[in-house]
Structures are given as structure tokens and as C-alpha cells.
Amino acid sequence: MSKSAGAPWKARQDPGARVCPVPRSAPRVFASFVQRFLQWTELLDPTNLITSIEKIENSRQLLFTSEDAYRFDVDDQRIKDAWKRSLSTVHPDSSRLIPVLFRPAAFLPLTVPMVFLSMMPAKGMKSMVLPQVSLYAYTTGFTITNGNASYSHSLPAKILLGAGVIASSTFFGLIPHLVQMKYSLDNPWVKRALPIIFLAQVSGMNAFASRSLEPIRGIEVMDKEGNVIGHSRRAGRKAVRETAVSRAVLFGTSALIPEVFAYFFKRTQFFLQNPQSLWTLKLSCTLLVMGLMVPVSFSMFPQIGQIKYSKLEKEIQALTEETELFYSRGV
């Protein structure tokens, strides 16, 4: 595959970047879901959290100078390792280092205990509020940090947006728990289904609200050579909508399957003899399900999205004859 076909993004020379900027794409832009899934299993490796800045800089420089960096069939292990380090630690739009806590590899170990605790029966206001605040504070920060970076946000704007999203998400996330405390629901299916439904819906809403400026201001759309054609609000809506759907699927499935297993486990003889084992089962099940669902969620839609010419704004259509344009979806 040629360099232009394999990498629709050109390098962005960002003087403020802490690492050497390189083309804003992975070598497998048009990869299938299975290829994206396998790639994400590598990017989610926890060792990517402790990669030194020196190694990242060397990897970025190698990708920037190597003619083989965009070949699908590249056999050079150095280039493969360089892509892994770059994609897991550097924002593809701004070429800036992603803070360690908000790198993709940190998402799973940090959100598993939050999801587990948020689904446990509340024994008081503190045990009910803290897991919700922690979960939505982290997912908000993660989504804002890893969103599209076609334009910069000031720090006060980020803080104001994040605070509003965290507060609203926490409020809606508490609704099923407050309903249970007030009305003492007896139906086990309704009692357990309500938090799952709200978790999925609020997680999607959280992602949409965290990146709400993208559909308003628009995000960069480019041709296959990486030339910026303009800023499209429709592409922004598509990028945010896809991310919100992936979040809802991730957290909804991760909450549903452990609850189903727990429902049947409570009817076994082993549980009757060891009732405390339910906690261990649910935690282990949550870890296993999220361990699978995080790469599935991140792989549902390509990081480099495509949008048809006919679906773009009229003013952008007037600027290009390309039938398809590209945009960075974010995570």
C-alpha cells in the first residue's frame, strides 16, 4: 500500500509538542474490526503506562523518518514497537503526551473497581455517591483528554465543562439507587435491571456531553493526502455519536453479565455455604468482562473515521471534489 493510501494524515508541526510529531494515523487506517481489536489488545498493555519519554521520542522519530512506517506488511519489529508506543502514549491530533492516568492502558484497571462498586447495593449515602462520582469524574477526564483535538480548549473551559458533565452524570447515575431506597423495590429483575440501564445510558450521555463542543464548533475533515478541507459539525456529530454508542455498550455489557452470573450463582449450593463468595465472583466476572469489552468498545468504530461527501455541509462540498473525507474520531 502506498504511503498516501495507508496514511491519510500528514504530520502536524506542533512547536509546543513534547515529542517529535509524526503523521496522525496508524498504519492500519482501514483495518477490519478484528485487526483493530488485536491492535487494541496491544495498546492496552499496562506496560505502556511506564514507557519513558526518551523511548517515546525515539519511537516517534523512527516513524517520522522511516519509509516503511506505513506498510501493512512491514516486518521490522522496531517499527511495530514504535507504533505501539506512539499510539498508546501520544495524542494523534496534537502530538502531545497523554497524561498517564488517561492513557488507554489505564482505563481498564481504574474503571473496573468503580463499575463494581457502583453496582453494589448501597448501604448509605456515602457508599452510594462516591463510586458514582469517581466513575464519572474519570470517564469525563478520559473522554475530554482523548477526544478530537482540532482546536484547543483553555484550561478554565475544560474545568467548567468537566465539572458540569460530572455533576449531571452523577445525578442521573444516582437515580436508580435513590428510587430503590425510597420505594424498596421487591422485584429482583427490576431492582437489578434499573442500575444497568441507567449505567449504560448515562455512560453514553457522559461521552456525548464531554465532547459536546465538537458538534458545535466542528472538527477537521481531510482528504486522503492529509490536507485540511475545513471544519465540519456533521463529522463532529458522527464522531461523538459513535464514541457515545461504544461507551454505552461497554458499560452496559460490563454491568449486565456479572449480574446475570450472580443471579444464577445465588441458587447454587456453594453460595448457600459460602455467601461471602458472591463478592469475589462479581468482581472477577466484572474484571473478565471488562477485560474483553474495553478493546471491543474501542474497536467498534475506526479511529480514523470516514464521511461521505454528500453528508457534509454545503460550504465544505464546495471546497473539494473528493467523494470521501476523513476525520479523527478520538477514543
Side-chain angles (χ1 to χ4, degrees):
M1 177 173 285
S2 67
K3 184 173 181 178
S4 62
W9 312 124
K10 288 184 177 179
R12 168 180 291 183
Q13 297 297 332
D14 183 353
R18 295 179 58 189
V19 292
C20 177
V22 296
R24 304 167 52 196
S25 68
R28 298 187 176 187
V29 173
F30 305 107
S32 66
F33 169 79
V34 174
Q35 290 173 319
R36 296 196 300 269
F37 176 83
L38 294 176
Q39 185 180 64
W40 271 114
T41 59
E42 295 181 355
L43 300 183
L44 293 170
D45 184 347
T47 59
N48 292 323
L49 298 174
I50 56 175
T51 304
S52 67
I53 295 179
E54 181 181 2
K55 286 185 177 180
I56 298 172
E57 290 174 342
N58 292 337
S59 296
R60 301 280 281 177
Q61 187 63 44
L62 174 63
L63 295 176
F64 189 61
T65 56
S66 175
E67 291 294 327
D68 296 329
Y70 306 97
R71 289 174 48 203
F72 281 100
D73 57 347
V74 63
D75 293 323
D76 192 333
Q77 189 61 42
R78 294 184 310 144
I79 293 179
K80 292 181 179 179
D81 292 340
W83 272 117
K84 176 182 175 181
R85 293 193 190 101
S86 178
L87 293 172
S88 61
T89 60
V90 180
H91 196 290
D93 289 338
S94 65
S95 291
R96 295 181 183 275
L97 283 176
I98 301 172
V100 175
L101 288 179
F102 295 122
R103 291 178 186 175
F107 189 86
L108 176 64
L110 289 177
T111 54
V112 166
M114 298 176 190
V115 172
F116 170 72
L117 292 175
S118 67
M119 294 302 296
M120 295 302 294
K123 297 181 178 179
M125 187 60 66
K126 185 177 179 180
S127 64
M128 182 172 60
V129 173
L130 287 180
Q132 299 291 328
V133 173
S134 301
L135 176 62
Y136 294 119
Y138 179 75
T139 54
T140 299
F142 180 89
T143 304
I144 292 176
T145 301
N146 290 278
N148 184 285
S150 295
Y151 46 84
S152 60
H153 301 78
S154 64
L155 183 59
K158 284 185 177 181
I159 294 175
L160 186 61
L161 174 63
V165 174
I166 293 169
S168 59
S169 299
T170 300
F171 171 76
F172 287 111
L174 289 173
I175 289 178
H177 300 282
L178 294 173
V179 169
Q180 291 181 24
M181 290 180 64
K182 182 175 180 60
Y183 297 104
S184 301
L185 299 177
D186 295 326
N187 189 313
W189 289 106
V190 175
K191 185 176 181 180
R192 301 317 304 163
L194 206 58
I196 296 172
I197 294 172
F198 268 79
L199 178 62
Q201 293 289 334
V202 176
S203 296
M205 181 190 74
N206 176 274
F208 196 92
S210 297
R211 295 174 56 179
S212 58
L213 293 179
E214 293 176 30
I216 297 174
R217 297 184 180 180
I219 61 176
E220 288 180 353
V221 288
M222 307 180 186
D223 60 22
K224 64 182 179 181
E225 298 297 332
N227 301 309
V228 178
I229 306 301
H231 285 71
S232 170
R233 294 181 297 276
R234 294 181 182 179
R237 286 197 295 269
K238 186 172 183 286
V240 175
R241 182 173 63 249
E242 290 174 346
T243 303
V245 169
S246 69
R247 287 288 195 281
V249 171
L250 165 62
F251 288 109
T253 305
S254 299
L256 173 63
I257 294 180
E259 289 297 328
V260 172
F261 270 88
Y263 177 80
F264 290 104
F265 180 71
K266 288 179 180 180
R267 282 149 180 75
T268 64
Q269 189 66 30
F270 183 81
F271 170 74
L272 297 176
Q273 296 175 354
N274 304 276
Q276 297 300 324
S277 61
L278 181 63
W279 280 67
T280 304
L281 171 77
K282 291 187 69 172
L283 179 58
S284 302
C285 192
T286 302
L287 177 60
L288 290 174
V289 174
M290 289 198 68
L292 174 64
M293 286 306 301
V294 169
V296 167
S297 171
F298 290 175
S299 306
M300 285 181 64
F301 304 98
Q303 294 304 107
I304 306 301
Q306 300 168 259
I307 186 168
K308 298 290 185 181
Y309 169 89
S310 58
K311 295 183 178 180
L312 292 166
E313 293 87 342
K314 296 295 183 182
E315 57 268 26
I316 295 181
Q317 293 183 20
L319 298 174
T320 181
E321 296 181 354
E322 296 282 341
T323 58
E324 231 173 22
L325 294 179
F326 304 90
Y327 60 89
S328 174
R329 181 178 67 86
V331 180

